[in-house]
Amino acid sequence: MLKIHNNELAENTIIKYESLILLIINHFSKTKMLTDPLTAISVIVINGITIINDEGFDPSKPVYFYLPPMHADYKILRLMVAADDNRAYSAILQGSSKNAFEAGKFYNATVTLKEKNSLMFIADGEQKLLFIGKMDNLQYSINDDGNWKDLGTSWVYFGKGKVLFLRAKSKRGVGDGTNARGNFQFGYNDVKVACAGDIRTLVNYDAYKTADTKEATFKELFYKCTPLISAPALPATTLAAHCYDNMFYECTSLTAAPALPATVLEDNCYLRMFYGCTSLTTAPDLPATTLATHCYWNMFHGCTSLTATPTLHATILAPNCCKYMFGRCTSLTSVPALSATTLAENCYHGMFLGCTSLTTAPELAATTLAYGCYSNMFYGCTSLTKAPVLRAETLTNKCYEYMFYGCSALKEITMLGMKAIPAGYMDYSNCMYCWVGGVSSEGTFIKASNTNIHLPEGISGIPTGWTVKEE
């Protein structure tokens, strides 16, 4: 069954369409869709009419669309498709091109999942785009008409029936070196934009599926693009250092992140990638088991709508790899276990800092610590009532520094192991400096029964007023 949603379309209205209908899967529909991204489709025609197929989408079967009247001078309709898998496709409307499409009738449209070798930008009103930076052979086309032009330094207008397509042959993406960056800008923040397609079509649109991405970086490509509601696919498994650094920084309308399938990471590859994406509700799976320096640093910092984190499969960490990764994600309530047993300098520093809704801390599997590894990890988590079990026998400099500082509801800490004082230290003040400052005034501290180490009372030891028990 097809439903048409438009309260403003008058009976027998004649609308002059350009020869284009935008077929969008999920993006602009205000009607609730099914969870499977390919089970529902909506059509955005030029006057803003939305048609919903809510019984499921089967690529092997034709889809029927109910269209409003169209002027006889505009007979041939082409459909462009964007799917929630972040790729662009094409579609064909079956029927006679000799007759105008009439109101109140159904027409057969076959959706062909043929990927396009360009990025596609679709706006829900008049919009304009500008690129600042360097990208080799960057070209644009309107409505995929075959007329490709170099994208210069002027605004390009699209929307209102005009779809913007971009492609390039830029081996290094936005340029050479760690300071290279390039940025798309949209002219109107109140006009939403959906982007679809494969990012590799900017590396080599002629052979994007096999494009060599080991030097391609897209640092700050969508930096502060607040109208952006969907991102292109990022299927590359070979990454470059800084490849997606700040890529979607403060894209405040972005609700879902693209899949990140790479299992071999490079330094700074996802640094601040989704920083400040306040509408982001889901995060991608992170399959890498060995991390790189700064790879996840601030990756989701300030994503205040994020309610769950991906499972972190990493077992071997790197310096600063997860530093502030979920900092100030104020909607997070629980997170999966951190299974890494080999830690690195500052690896989890501030990882959940300011996560004020976090009630359950992740299990910490490591027994051998590293400099600053858990410092500031739960700083300001005001809803946390119970600390994860701390199993390390030997502490290191700054390992627990400010770890639970400001956790005002925290009432239980279990510290097992703790059998040795770090070499060169007379006490634990350098390892646990201010680690329990501002916790609850009453609580229970549980320690191993076989330890002969005695912690002082206070913010750098056992919280004042707490009951001490042995396991």
Side-chain angles (χ1 to χ4, degrees):
M1 179 180 178
L2 294 167
K3 298 179 181 179
I4 183 166
H5 300 271
N6 186 3
N7 297 326
E8 299 178 358
L9 184 64
E11 187 176 357
N12 298 321
T13 299
I14 300 295
I15 301 169
K16 290 187 177 182
Y17 292 104
E18 298 179 11
S19 59
L20 180 71
I21 289 180
L22 309 181
L23 177 64
I24 315 297
I25 299 180
N26 287 356
H27 288 314
F28 287 132
S29 173
K30 295 181 180 179
T31 301
K32 185 177 180 180
M33 291 295 191
L34 304 179
T35 54
D36 184 341
L38 287 180
T39 58
I41 58 177
S42 58
V43 177
I44 310 301
V45 294
I46 293 170
N47 71 329
I49 297 172
T50 305
I51 303 166
I52 309 298
N53 177 354
D54 60 359
E55 289 191 347
F57 173 57
D58 183 347
S60 66
K61 297 178 180 179
V63 179
Y64 295 89
F65 299 112
Y66 176 88
L67 295 179
M70 191 178 85
H71 194 275
D73 291 340
Y74 299 84
K75 300 173 182 176
I76 301 174
L77 295 178
R78 292 182 296 111
L79 291 84
M80 303 311 303
V81 181
D84 272 2
D85 62 1
N86 302 101
R87 288 181 167 84
Y89 300 104
S90 62
I92 303 169
L93 185 68
Q94 307 295 330
S96 173
S97 63
K98 297 180 180 179
N99 300 309
F101 292 93
E102 300 176 11
K105 292 189 177 181
F106 289 88
Y107 296 92
N108 181 345
T110 301
V111 177
T112 305
L113 297 185
K114 181 181 179 181
E115 294 187 40
K116 300 193 65 59
N117 63 340
S118 58
L119 294 187
M120 181 167 65
F121 293 84
I122 303 164
D124 62 356
E126 185 177 72
Q127 184 58 278
K128 60 181 181 178
L129 175 142
L130 179 70
F131 177 72
I132 298 176
K134 177 187 176 183
M135 190 181 301
D136 297 334
N137 306 299
L138 180 59
Q139 299 177 325
Y140 78 96
S141 173
I142 299 296
N143 289 348
D144 197 26
D145 60 3
N147 183 20
W148 290 93
K149 302 176 183 178
D150 290 337
L151 186 68
T153 57
S154 300
W155 290 98
V156 175
Y157 288 81
F158 65 106
K160 284 194 171 182
K162 296 180 179 179
V163 182
L164 175 64
F165 294 86
L166 295 179
R167 68 184 190 183
K169 288 186 177 180
S170 190
K171 179 181 179 181
R172 293 180 175 87
V174 296
D176 302 333
T178 57
N179 291 321
R181 64 199 68 197
N183 179 223
F184 290 128
Q185 294 184 7
F186 297 113
Y188 309 116
N189 287 335
D190 58 340
V191 178
K192 302 305 181 186
V193 177
C195 179
D198 189 321
I199 197 68
R200 296 174 299 178
T201 60
L202 299 181
V203 179
N204 182 1
Y205 62 81
D206 276 338
Y208 67 94
K209 289 187 177 182
T210 57
D212 185 354
T213 56
K214 67 177 180 292
E215 297 180 75
T217 64
F218 298 99
K219 186 175 181 179
E220 299 184 8
L221 189 63
F222 295 98
Y223 186 89
K224 293 190 176 182
C225 287
T226 55
L228 189 72
I229 64 171
S230 66
L234 306 176
T237 55
T238 301
L239 305 184
H242 291 274
C243 57
Y244 302 138
D245 181 348
N246 281 279
M247 189 174 186
F248 301 103
Y249 185 100
E250 290 189 2
C251 288
T252 54
S253 298
L254 191 67
T255 58
L260 300 172
T263 56
V264 178
L265 306 185
E266 296 294 335
D267 292 352
N268 303 287
C269 57
Y270 300 141
L271 177 71
R272 290 187 292 268
M273 187 175 183
F274 301 101
Y275 188 106
C277 291
T278 53
S279 297
L280 194 71
T281 57
T282 57
D285 186 39
L286 300 172
T289 56
T290 300
L291 303 189
T293 301
H294 298 143
C295 61
Y296 297 150
W297 190 354
N298 275 299
M299 187 175 183
F300 300 101
H301 190 110
C303 292
T304 54
S305 297
L306 195 65
T307 57
T309 68
T311 299
L312 296 180
H313 300 278
T315 55
I316 299 176
L317 307 185
N320 300 295
C321 57
C322 299
K323 194 171 184 178
Y324 301 118
M325 185 177 182
F326 299 102
R328 306 196 191 286
C329 289
T330 54
S331 295
L332 282 181
T333 57
S334 62
V335 290
L338 300 176
S339 56
T341 55
T342 302
L343 304 188
E345 181 177 319
N346 291 312
C347 56
Y348 294 141
H349 178 100
M351 189 174 184
F352 302 103
L353 179 145
C355 291
T356 54
S357 297
L358 190 68
T359 58
T360 305
E363 182 181 348
L364 304 177
T367 56
T368 301
L369 306 184
Y371 177 96
C373 56
Y374 295 140
S375 58
N376 293 266
M377 189 173 184
F378 301 101
Y379 189 112
C381 292
T382 54
S383 298
L384 192 65
T385 58
K386 182 178 179 180
V389 176
L390 304 175
R391 303 181 184 280
E393 294 185 359
T394 302
L395 307 191
T396 61
N397 195 21
K398 297 183 181 295
C399 59
Y400 294 151
E401 184 180 69
Y402 289 102
M403 187 176 184
F404 301 109
Y405 190 93
C407 295
S408 55
L410 190 67
K411 293 186 176 183
E412 182 178 325
I413 297 175
T414 299
M415 180 178 278
L416 306 180
M418 198 177 63
K419 296 178 181 178
I421 296 174
Y425 293 93
M426 297 303 294
D427 57 46
Y428 281 88
S429 61
N430 287 311
C431 310
M432 306 163 64
Y433 181 74
C434 287
W435 80 312
V436 289
V439 301
S440 175
S441 59
E442 297 179 352
T444 302
F445 188 92
I446 303 170
K447 66 176 184 177
S449 58
N450 59 348
T451 183
N452 59 2
I453 301 298
H454 299 284
L455 293 177
E457 186 177 274
I459 61 175
S460 298
I462 298 174
T464 301
W466 281 31
T467 302
V468 178
K469 294 183 178 180
E470 291 187 353
E471 183 194 32

